[in-house]
């Protein structure tokens, strides 16, 4: 099993990994506990955390995930069908005693999971129009290739679309290939 986290704070991955290892490996429960800890220990009341936490079983392709007010994630099926993975809870630090739902999806060979910061969806073109989640969904339906090719194409399209990327931009692109997992285990 591999754990993928994407966050804006350097200490968060360490905290999340500790919570995942301590009891429940359920992403929603981990975010529930992390939210409580964050609210108790936040040094400022005007801070919050945006987070996507996914646990991928590399043998079966099962993904369990929870997200705290995160930009949507996307699942591109090999058939070019693109599913939007909406947030499963609010921003951490905004709503006391918030709860986070865990959702499960099944990856098939060739499927690609994409998670990004809002620098992608909030990017603006020359007419000041944001790309938004639907624009990214459209792009992903048109892009072919593996994880690196997908990430490279997104960045090229973004650079062509906007002259200046004004916000942070981080991408996580995972392509599920059970054959390479089986080959490396042998």
């Amino acid at each position: 099993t591999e754990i993928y986290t994407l966050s804006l704070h350097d200490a968060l991955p360490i905290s999340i990994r500790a919570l995942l290892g301590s009891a429940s490996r359920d992403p929603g429960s981990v975010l529930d506990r992390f939210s409580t800890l964050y609210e108790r220990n936040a040094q400022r009341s005007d801070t919050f955390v945006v987070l996507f936490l996914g646990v991928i079983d590399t043998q079966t392709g099962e993904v369990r995930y929870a997200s705290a007010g995160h930009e949507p994630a996307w699942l591109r099926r090999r058939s070019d069908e693109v599913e939007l993975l909406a947030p499963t809870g609010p921003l951490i630090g905004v709503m006391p005693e918030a709860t986070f739902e865990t959702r499960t999806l099944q990856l098939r060979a060739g499927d690609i999971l994409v998670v990004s910061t809002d620098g992608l969806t909030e990017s603006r073109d020359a007419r000041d129009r944001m790309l938004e989640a639907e624009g990214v969904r459209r792009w992903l339906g048109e892009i072919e290739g593996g994880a690196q090719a997908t990430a490279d194409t997104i960045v090229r399209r973004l650079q062509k679309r906007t002259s200046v990327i004004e916000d942070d931009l981080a991408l996580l692109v995972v392509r599920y290939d059970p054959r390479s997992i089986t080959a490396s285990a042998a």
Side-chain angles (χ1 to χ4, degrees), residues 5-182:
T5 61
L6 175 64
S7 72
L8 301 178
H9 302 282
D10 292 338
L12 292 181
I14 295 167
S15 301
I16 296 297
R17 285 179 191 268
L19 289 171
L20 271 169
S22 66
S24 171
R25 295 193 54 83
D26 177 72
S29 296
V30 169
L31 292 191
D32 288 345
R33 294 186 356 237
F34 179 76
S35 179
T36 300
L37 290 171
Y38 184 83
E39 288 176 23
R40 285 185 198 153
N41 296 298
Q43 295 179 357
R44 294 178 40 191
S45 62
D46 62 342
T47 62
F48 59 88
V49 176
V50 176
L51 180 73
F52 180 93
L53 174 64
V55 177
I56 301 174
D57 183 324
T58 58
Q59 297 301 311
T60 67
E62 180 183 79
V63 178
R64 291 177 303 127
Y65 71 94
S67 55
H70 197 277
E71 283 294 305
W74 299 265
L75 173 61
R76 185 183 81 206
R77 297 287 185 184
R78 192 169 183 181
S79 63
D80 292 334
E81 169 192 336
V82 180
E83 299 173 35
L84 187 72
L85 308 179
T88 68
L91 299 166
I92 291 175
V94 174
M95 292 178 56
E97 300 181 34
T99 59
F100 301 86
E101 177 186 351
T102 295
R103 294 192 184 146
T104 303
L105 59 92
Q106 186 64 47
L107 296 176
R108 298 183 297 253
D111 286 351
I112 292 182
L113 180 65
V114 177
V115 180
S116 76
T117 56
D118 62 1
L120 180 59
T121 55
E122 294 180 3
S123 65
R124 296 181 181 274
D125 65 12
R127 291 191 224 153
D128 205 36
R129 294 177 300 191
M130 287 196 296
L131 179 59
E132 299 181 340
E134 181 58 27
V136 175
R137 189 194 64 74
R138 219 174 21 258
W139 280 7
L140 290 173
E142 299 166 355
I143 296 172
E144 294 184 14
Q148 188 64 54
T150 298
D152 291 345
T153 301
I154 289 169
V155 171
R156 274 195 308 276
R157 283 185 173 200
L158 189 60
Q159 289 170 328
K160 184 177 179 180
R161 182 178 192 278
T162 184
S163 58
V164 176
I165 299 173
E166 296 178 6
D167 199 353
D168 64 294
L169 177 62
L171 288 171
L172 172 68
V173 181
V174 177
R175 181 176 179 270
Y176 183 61
D177 184 357
R179 294 168 301 188
S180 68
I181 295 164
T182 304

